[in-house]
Amino acid sequence: MPYSGTIQHWFGRKESTPFFLLIALLVKVLLCWNTFTIDGDKSAQLLAARSLAEGQGICLPYSPPEDLSQTLYKPLTGWPPGYSLSLAPLLLITDFDYKTAALLFDLILLLPFLLLFLLLLRYAGATPRLQNLFLLFAGFFAYPFGGESATDLAALVFLLAAFGVLLKIMRGDSVSLWGCALLLFLPGLFKYQYIPVGIAAPLLLSLAGYGQKNKALVRTGLVLFSGTLLLGGGLLFFQQQYAGSAYYINSQASGFFPANLKYLYPFVPASFVDVETALTVFSAKTGTDYLRNGNALLLAGYLLFLLLTAFTLIAVCRKRKQMKEPADDFIFLGSGISLLIIGLLFYLSLRNSIQQSPFYQPWTYIQEYRYFLFPVILLQLAYFIFSLGKFPRLSVWGKTLSGFVLLLLLLNLAYAGYDFTRMIRSAEQPFYRTPVYAARVSFFTRYYHRIQQQYPHQRLVIASPDHSLAHYAGLEGFGALPLSHFQQEPLRFRSAVNTKVLLIMDSLSAKHYAPLLHFNAANPYDRQGNHYFYLLDAEPLSR
């Protein structure tokens, strides 16, 4: 058999699937290892997990400025409790090694993530060749969850699992409805945006049952809806009672902001190619303006989204009474869940201001690539199943379009392979010495310990408007004081014990806080890059 024929035969064998699964898993593990870090959302939820493991509840420790010798706790309000609940046992197992615990959680999710791809492909009738090709593609594809993301992958895994169970219900298989309701609830336990999605998704079953005159499916959808409503409502009630807020909206003001809708991330082309890298390379090679090209990409992404939405709705409406094949159920349920997610993101962007803080760039929900994870994966699966899988039966126009997308996939795969090889060759071991982790987490935690060694008999409190830096301090056992971005009143640091306050901020923040915190912004203790360090003595406080 010719060499090329041997490769084709190997790709097409069902027995080859474990090999491709292992390759995809190995690539994902190495990528996770070499891009791991702790920042942003993850730092806060990890600190709350540490507090929970120490018996303080799902809270963030902080040292109040009126007495920095104390450690108080405030409930975690910005995120649901799923990540913190999951990490607390891992922290106990690893003896509070928060770096290893956080990495283990990320690694544990990778295998079910890839296995769910296989299950969904097999449900839709994909051949072993397509399954193996997709595993290879997915292994190298840069999905928008990574080192800084705490909950995106966890929520996605549970949502994909719930999607698979809903497909089984559509097919008439016997499943546990409470188990399905739990799977629909779990994504919302990790990310607030999935609570309404999980509650509304069962209504798609009722809608399908109504179109097919299937009363049993209508009832099943309503029962599931009741179960997910009970679970989701219970979570919101718990958050309201425990944390003082049922949910969290990342915005300064609410109202009507239609201009925000222009920031839609081009997730349709980004489902097949790394658009940000492609934009950078294209602008550099052609000598054209990056921003102008970026605006053209946003517009093209919007048009593709609208065309794809219209095409999908027309196709679903035509087949609503004739959904007899598993592939029909796949498209109906998958597109329905995707539209629920996208509709929610559009509503949140329309309803909330893009201004979050005087120190942050404007931001809105629909410009965040990772929020479109489920629609991105659905597009990828649909392309492999319905385009590559049925390529000989496509029209000339369809073959041309499918071939163009395949070319993009191959180019993206080639670049991803090159980038992956370069990353692995330059990687440091162990994981907390990798450039991504060392540039931020390791640098600041080492800096805290160096200051503490200089003043061994004094308490050290880290204060910063960059809340991740304060969370690092809490994770390392130092006093932490996240500064409010909207602080307008003067603040004095006092303590009942000898205390050093290490302020860390950039130049813009330093100018804002200097008159409020009584320090000279022009005279820092140290400067590293754009970070200015100010070392202050807390005023003595008599008990």
Side-chain angles (χ1 to χ4, degrees):
M1 182 182 294
Y3 184 68
S4 60
T6 303
I7 294 177
Q8 292 182 24
H9 179 69
W10 177 251
F11 265 95
R13 293 180 61 193
K14 183 178 180 180
E15 294 78 9
S16 305
T17 300
F19 170 77
F20 288 100
L21 177 62
L22 182 61
I23 292 297
L25 180 61
L26 180 62
V27 171
K28 285 298 183 196
V29 166
L30 291 174
L31 286 173
C32 183
W33 183 281
N34 285 281
T35 60
F36 174 80
T37 190
I38 298 170
D39 206 355
D41 298 358
K42 180 182 284 188
S43 66
Q45 295 176 79
L46 187 55
L47 181 57
R50 179 188 175 99
S51 297
L52 177 61
E54 292 175 337
Q56 301 294 339
I58 307 175
C59 299
L60 295 176
Y62 72 100
S63 297
E66 57 271 15
D67 186 0
L68 295 173
S69 66
Q70 297 183 4
T71 298
L72 304 182
Y73 295 86
K74 60 181 179 180
L76 183 73
T77 58
W79 305 269
Y83 184 80
S84 300
L85 289 170
S86 303
L87 261 291
L90 291 177
L91 285 169
L92 293 173
I93 292 171
T94 59
D95 194 24
F96 289 90
D97 182 351
Y98 64 88
K99 301 182 289 292
T100 301
L103 179 65
L104 279 175
F105 182 78
D106 293 346
L107 293 176
I108 288 169
L109 294 168
L110 294 175
L111 181 59
F113 174 65
L114 295 171
L115 286 175
L116 284 165
F117 284 159
L118 280 179
L119 294 175
L120 292 173
L121 286 164
R122 289 174 180 175
Y123 175 89
T127 63
R129 176 177 282 105
L130 287 177
Q131 295 174 34
N132 296 336
L133 285 172
F134 189 87
L135 283 174
L136 190 62
F137 160 75
F140 283 95
F141 189 82
Y143 291 103
F145 55 77
E148 297 180 13
S149 171
T151 57
D152 290 298
L153 180 56
L156 178 66
V157 165
F158 288 118
L159 186 59
L160 288 173
F163 176 46
V165 175
L166 290 176
L167 288 172
K168 291 172 69 70
I169 294 174
M170 288 279 287
R171 191 169 58 186
D173 294 351
S174 177
V175 302
S176 168
L177 294 186
W178 275 111
C180 182
L182 181 62
L183 282 176
L184 286 164
F185 160 74
L186 286 173
L189 189 64
F190 286 87
K191 288 186 73 69
Y192 278 124
Q193 82 176 78
Y194 290 120
I195 294 177
V197 173
I199 292 173
L203 296 179
L204 295 171
L205 297 181
S206 297
L207 181 61
Y210 177 79
Q212 301 171 20
K213 302 188 185 314
N214 185 337
K215 294 183 179 179
L217 191 57
V218 173
R219 287 195 298 270
T220 299
L222 292 176
V223 170
L224 270 178
F225 169 75
S226 302
T228 54
L229 182 63
L230 180 64
L231 291 171
L235 173 60
L236 294 176
F237 179 76
F238 169 81
Q239 288 292 93
Q240 179 65 47
Q241 296 299 310
Y242 178 78
S245 176
Y247 57 89
Y248 178 76
I249 298 295
N250 195 9
S251 175
Q252 281 186 248
S254 60
F256 184 65
F257 305 95
N260 292 355
L261 300 185
K262 67 182 180 182
Y263 297 109
L264 176 68
Y265 192 89
F267 70 92
V268 175
S271 301
F272 306 103
V273 67
D274 183 346
V275 293
E276 295 180 36
T277 299
L279 178 63
T280 302
V281 172
F282 176 81
S283 301
K285 295 295 184 182
T286 61
T288 51
D289 184 72
Y290 178 88
L291 292 178
R292 185 177 298 172
N293 293 337
N295 289 331
L297 176 63
L298 291 177
L299 178 60
Y302 231 120
L303 292 175
L304 287 172
F305 162 66
L306 294 175
L307 288 172
L308 185 63
T309 301
F311 175 81
T312 303
L313 290 176
I314 292 171
V316 168
C317 289
R318 285 179 176 175
K319 299 269 294 186
R320 68 185 185 278
K321 296 182 180 180
Q322 303 172 336
M323 291 191 295
K324 299 179 181 180
E325 300 295 329
D328 298 331
D329 300 338
F330 184 93
I331 289 297
F332 174 77
L333 276 177
S335 58
I337 294 174
S338 296
L339 289 176
L340 285 173
I341 293 171
I342 295 169
L344 177 64
L345 294 175
F346 267 75
Y347 170 76
L348 291 172
S349 293
L350 194 66
R351 189 78 176 85
N352 296 284
S353 168
I354 62 174
Q355 300 298 332
Q356 303 176 74
S357 159
F359 307 121
Y360 290 166
Q361 292 293 325
W363 176 91
T364 190
Y365 292 85
I366 61 171
Q367 76 180 65
E368 191 76 40
Y369 182 24
R370 61 193 177 98
Y371 288 169
F372 294 95
L373 266 169
F374 185 87
V376 164
I377 287 173
L378 184 75
L379 281 172
Q380 294 174 345
L381 291 170
Y383 171 74
F384 273 78
I385 296 167
F386 303 111
S387 184
L388 291 183
K390 300 180 179 180
F391 190 83
R393 287 177 279 173
L394 297 178
S395 64
V396 174
W397 182 87
K399 289 180 178 178
T400 302
L401 179 60
S402 180
F404 176 72
V405 174
L406 181 60
L407 177 62
L408 292 179
L409 288 179
L410 292 175
L411 290 173
N412 188 75
L413 183 62
Y415 178 80
Y418 163 75
D419 195 48
F420 173 78
T421 303
R422 184 180 58 179
M423 177 189 298
I424 297 304
R425 290 180 63 184
S426 63
E428 298 281 350
Q429 301 297 333
F431 68 89
Y432 48 82
R433 292 181 184 170
T434 60
V436 176
Y437 192 90
R440 184 163 170 85
V441 187
S442 293
F443 169 77
F444 283 105
T445 53
R446 286 198 304 265
Y447 198 98
Y448 302 163
H449 284 282
R450 189 162 70 247
I451 296 296
Q452 184 66 82
Q453 289 173 0
Q454 294 176 14
Y455 303 94
H457 303 298
Q458 297 192 46
R459 176 174 169 80
L460 179 63
V461 175
I462 314 301
S464 178
D466 184 341
H467 292 183
S468 293
L469 303 187
H471 297 151
Y472 298 161
L475 288 167
E476 290 290 325
F478 297 106
L481 178 57
L483 297 174
S484 170
H485 292 185
F486 306 102
Q487 182 76 35
Q488 298 296 332
E489 299 297 324
L491 196 65
R492 306 195 76 87
F493 296 125
R494 294 183 171 90
S495 179
V497 299
N498 289 335
T499 300
K500 289 286 185 181
V501 181
L502 180 64
L503 294 176
I504 310 174
M505 53 193 67
D506 59 23
S507 57
L508 177 63
S509 302
K511 291 177 182 178
H512 172 77
Y513 286 101
L516 302 176
L517 304 182
H518 314 288
F519 68 91
N520 184 0
N523 187 28
Y525 169 80
D526 190 13
R527 178 184 176 183
Q528 299 289 335
N530 194 39
H531 287 94
Y532 292 78
F533 297 79
Y534 302 88
L535 195 60
L536 311 179
D537 289 303
E539 298 178 12
L541 177 68
S542 301
R543 290 192 181 274

